[in-house]
Amino acid sequence: MTTISDPAVRGSGLITGAFPSPDGDVLAIASEFSLLVNPRSRACYAGQTLRYRVALYRRGEAVPFAAFDRLRFNINDVAFHPTEPVVAIATGSYDGGYFFEGDLVLWNWIDDLHARPVAQIPEVVRCRFDESGGAVESLVRPWDEEWEGLPEPREDTAFDSLFPVRISYSGAAFAGTDSVEIELTPGTRLERAQAVAHGFAEIATANADEAESRALSWLSLPHQKLRHAIRDVGWLDDQHLAVVHDGCLLEIFDMTGDRTGAFYGEGYGAEILKSTPPCVHIVEPPPLADRYSPQRGVAKLCAISNGELTEVGSFEGEYTFSSSPSGLVLGRLNRIPAGNSTKDVLLDLAGSGEAKKIDLGHYDCFNHYIGIDGAPYLFFLQGTPQSSHEDKRLCVVQPTGDVRTQWPLLAADGTNASHAMECCGCFVGDGAGEGVVVSGRHYEPNPSRPVAAFIYRKALGADRELWRHQTDACASAVAFVPDEGLIAAAFLDGTLMLLRAADGHILFAGKARVDGVRTIIFCMDASGDRLALGTVDGRIAVVGVGELLKGLQADGWFDLA
C-alpha cells in the first residue's frame, strides 16, 4: 500500500463545526461527507453509510482517536459531559418543505456506545450538560413551520423560534432504557437572538470556512483550503496519477507522493478520461445568482499533454463524458434541467476535433449515467422510447452517430424491480469474450425499505448473464484489472470487492478504513496489478491486488494505510 496524499485533517469531510472540551484537551470536529454527485449529471446515493461524523482529536494530532458516524442529520452542536467520556450531539435540519427534523444523540467514546434518549424531537439547534452532568439542556425548533404554538404569522416566526427542552441523564441511558416523549410549550418560546442570554452559544448562519479555520488553529496546522472528496483518479502512465477534486482543475502525482503538476482556475475537475490524449472534464458552475436561470454552467474538456492542459471543447450545460482510446468522446447532456442546450455531443480528438451534435434521447442524473470509459466502444443508456427513463437498454454509439442496441439492463417483469437506477460499469475483454459489468439498484418507491442493488456481467451482442450478485449498496466505481483477470468494485457502504471476471467468484470483500475509522472509496482506476483509489475523505492511495487479498482483517475491515 502506498499513500500518495493525505488530507490535512485526517478522518474529516467538510468541517462544519469545531467544539473544544471544557478543559481544552480534546476537540470535537463535526463534518459532512459528500454525496456522489459528480459531475452534476450523475447522482448515486443508495446505501451510502457515511454522511455525518463527530471525530475527536487531541492537541497536535491531526488523526482522530475516536469517531462517531451513526448520524442522520446536520450536526449543529456538540457538548462534553463534565466528568464522563460522553458527548451530546445536536442534529437536525429543515426538510425544505414543512418539517424541522432532528435527533439528540449521546455517545460514550470509550465504550463506543450511543443512545437516542428522546423518541422524537424536532431539529436540535443547541445542547449542553448542566453543571452536575445530570441533565441535557437543548434548544429545539418547532415541530413544523405551521405549528399551532407559534405566534402569527407562523410561517415567518417558525425559523426564529426556539424552545428549551431538558432531559435527565445518567449512564443508564446506554443500557437500552426507553426513550422519553417531549412536549413543546408555547409560553417558553425564545427568539434566536435570546439564546446567548440563556447561556447557549450564539446561533449564527453556518460558515464552513470559519469552522475549518478554528479547527486548524486548535490543531496547530497551517491555515489552508482543505481538500475533501476525491472525484476521480486516472493513470497517465505506470508512474504518474491524475487526480481531480473540488479544489483544483487537475493534480498529478508520482509514486513517491510528490505532486509534479497542479492546475487551478475557474471551476473544478470532475472526470479523467482515458482518451488519446487523456482529458480532464472541468465543470464551471453558473454564478450562485444564476442557479435558477436557463444557463447551467459550462463543461470543458482539456487534453493533458506535456505537462499542460489544452482546451479541446467547451459546452454549455451539465454533461458527463466517456471516451475510447481511438480518440472518440461522447458527452451526454443532463436534461433535468437542460438549460439552453438541447443535444449530446460526439467528438473525434484524433480527427477534426469538431463536436457533432446528436440526440441520444432523455438523460437524467439518476437514470442514465453508466460511466464506462476507456473501452473500444462508446456505451450509453437509453430508455424505451428514447424520450423515457424506463425500460433502459445498454447501447453503443458509432462514430457516425448511429446507435446499436445491446440488451435491456433488467428483464421487464412489470414490477418496480425491473427499473434500474444509479448505475455504473466497466468493459471487460478476456477469455470469456467481450462483455460489460453493470452495477445499479432496483427502483423502490418506499425510501424506508432496504436498498436492493446488483452487480452482473453480460456478454456483448447477447442478452446473457455470465454471473450476478445482490449487493446492499450501489457501486461508486467499477474497474477491470486485466493483468489479474479481476473486477474491482467499490460500493457506497464502504465495501471493496474483488471478483473473478470470468465467473464472478468473490475473492475479497472488505470494508475500508483509514486510521481506524471508516471511509468510502469514491473513485478507482487500474494499471497492471495495482489499483489507484480516491476516498470520500480525501485520501489518495495505490494498492496491489495481492496486498488486498492478504490484508483483510478477521473483523471484515481492511486498512488504506
Side-chain angles (χ1 to χ4, degrees):
M1 178 85 66
T2 301
T3 299
I4 302 300
S5 182
D6 270 324
V9 181
R10 311 256 277 270
S12 69
L14 173 65
I15 295 176
T16 57
F19 309 93
S21 62
D23 60 11
D25 290 340
V26 176
L27 183 70
I29 292 182
S31 60
E32 176 181 339
F33 293 92
S34 298
L35 292 169
L36 191 54
V37 186
N38 173 47
R40 285 175 58 87
S41 46
R42 180 189 188 186
C44 185
Y45 309 152
Q48 181 163 334
T49 53
L50 184 54
R51 192 73 176 94
Y52 305 101
R53 169 178 286 165
V54 172
L56 304 182
Y57 298 77
R58 296 187 177 94
R59 285 198 181 274
E61 299 179 5
V63 177
F65 66 87
F68 182 74
D69 303 329
R70 294 179 288 278
L71 299 166
R72 299 178 289 184
F73 303 108
N74 299 329
I75 301 164
N76 296 323
D77 200 5
V78 178
F80 286 81
H81 190 277
T83 60
E84 298 179 18
V86 172
V87 292
I89 306 170
T91 76
S93 62
Y94 178 58
D95 73 351
Y98 188 66
F99 293 104
F100 295 96
E101 302 173 304
D103 251 344
L104 179 64
V105 181
L106 302 172
W107 172 44
N108 180 317
W109 70 79
I110 296 294
D111 298 324
D112 196 22
L113 299 174
H114 73 282
R116 289 180 165 84
V118 183
Q120 188 174 8
I121 195 168
E123 179 184 0
V124 187
V125 180
R126 289 289 180 265
C127 66
R128 67 185 180 196
F129 287 93
D130 68 3
E131 290 185 3
S132 70
V136 180
E137 299 170 337
S138 305
L139 294 180
V140 306
R141 303 276 190 199
W143 292 106
D144 57 66
E145 61 182 67
E146 296 181 0
W147 182 58
E148 60 185 11
L150 292 170
E152 298 289 350
R154 294 175 184 171
E155 294 86 349
D156 295 335
T157 59
F159 291 87
D160 196 40
S161 297
L162 299 169
F163 297 87
V165 172
R166 181 182 173 90
I167 301 161
S168 297
Y169 166 78
S170 73
F174 301 105
T177 54
D178 292 337
S179 300
V180 300
E181 303 285 342
I182 64 164
E183 291 186 7
L184 305 186
T185 305
T188 63
R189 174 183 175 270
L190 303 175
E191 293 186 358
R192 184 166 59 175
Q194 296 175 289
V196 174
H198 284 74
F200 290 93
E202 180 184 3
I203 298 172
T205 302
N207 186 313
D209 289 339
E210 291 181 4
E212 283 189 356
S213 179
R214 290 196 302 272
L216 291 170
S217 294
W218 195 93
L219 292 168
S220 301
L221 292 173
H223 281 248
Q224 57 192 289
K225 186 63 180 175
L226 298 181
R227 184 181 71 212
H228 307 302
I230 305 301
R231 297 299 186 182
D232 203 3
V233 293
W235 292 97
L236 299 178
D237 54 47
D238 62 1
Q239 291 298 313
H240 293 89
L241 190 65
V243 175
V244 290
H245 53 82
D246 289 353
C248 70
L249 304 181
L250 177 74
E251 292 180 335
I252 300 173
F253 292 88
D254 65 20
M255 291 302 98
T256 68
D258 287 341
R259 190 170 61 183
T260 61
F263 302 87
Y264 304 96
E266 186 175 355
Y268 60 90
E271 297 173 302
I272 297 167
L273 305 182
K274 300 177 184 177
S275 52
T276 304
C279 289
V280 58
H281 168 199
I282 295 169
V283 174
E284 293 184 2
L288 287 175
D290 297 334
R291 291 292 185 189
Y292 298 101
S293 77
Q295 210 279 336
R296 301 308 304 165
V298 174
K300 288 186 176 180
L301 281 180
C302 292
I304 308 168
S305 181
N306 299 321
E308 296 182 352
L309 293 184
T310 304
E311 185 177 313
V312 295
S314 180
F315 313 97
E316 182 181 336
E318 297 172 351
Y319 284 82
T320 182
F321 294 93
S322 57
S323 66
S324 69
S326 67
L328 288 175
V329 177
L330 171 65
R332 297 283 336 257
L333 171 69
N334 185 14
R335 304 298 212 274
I336 304 179
N340 295 323
S341 300
T342 59
K343 291 188 176 182
D344 308 303
V345 295
L346 186 62
L347 294 85
D348 184 0
L349 299 181
S352 67
E354 293 184 4
K356 179 190 299 184
K357 297 286 187 178
I358 59 175
D359 188 356
L360 299 177
H362 176 68
Y363 183 103
D364 71 71
C365 60
F366 286 101
N367 281 288
H368 295 85
Y369 180 86
I370 188 62
I372 301 175
D373 184 52
Y377 317 104
L378 294 177
F379 294 98
F380 70 99
L381 300 184
Q382 189 177 71
T384 308
Q386 71 174 39
S387 59
S388 172
H389 65 282
E390 298 180 325
D391 297 325
K392 289 186 287 292
R393 305 159 295 172
L394 182 73
C395 301
V396 170
V397 62
Q398 310 278 34
T400 60
D402 295 330
V403 172
R404 187 172 77 244
T405 299
Q406 292 296 313
W407 26 256
L409 285 190
L410 295 174
D413 61 5
T415 69
N416 290 325
S418 65
H419 180 59
M421 298 181 67
E422 300 180 35
C423 298
C424 73
C426 71
F427 172 80
V428 183
D430 59 10
E434 292 186 330
V436 169
V437 173
V438 176
S439 169
R441 73 174 176 96
H442 302 280
Y443 170 63
E444 171 51 64
N446 184 350
S448 65
R449 292 180 63 86
V451 173
F454 58 84
I455 184 169
Y456 64 70
R457 176 179 175 177
K458 279 189 179 183
L460 285 188
D463 188 7
R464 175 174 56 87
E465 286 187 5
L466 277 68
W467 49 263
R468 168 186 284 265
H469 294 285
Q470 181 177 326
T471 63
D472 297 325
C474 284
S476 51
V478 182
F480 179 42
V481 190
D483 285 17
E484 301 293 324
L486 299 177
I487 299 297
F491 296 90
L492 289 176
D493 63 355
T495 299
L496 177 65
M497 194 179 289
L498 297 178
L499 311 94
R500 273 201 306 253
D503 60 11
H505 179 69
I506 298 173
L507 300 175
F508 174 95
K511 293 196 173 181
R513 62 187 176 192
V514 175
D515 301 316
V517 295
R518 73 172 64 204
T519 190
I520 296 172
I521 297 167
F522 255 18
C523 52
M524 183 166 53
D525 193 26
S527 175
D529 66 346
R530 296 177 299 169
L531 288 171
L533 310 171
T535 69
V536 70
D537 54 345
R539 172 164 287 197
I540 307 161
V542 173
V543 59
V545 168
E547 290 180 79
L548 279 175
L549 294 174
K550 297 175 183 177
L552 188 63
Q553 305 296 315
D555 57 3
W557 294 87
F558 71 96
D559 295 305
L560 283 178

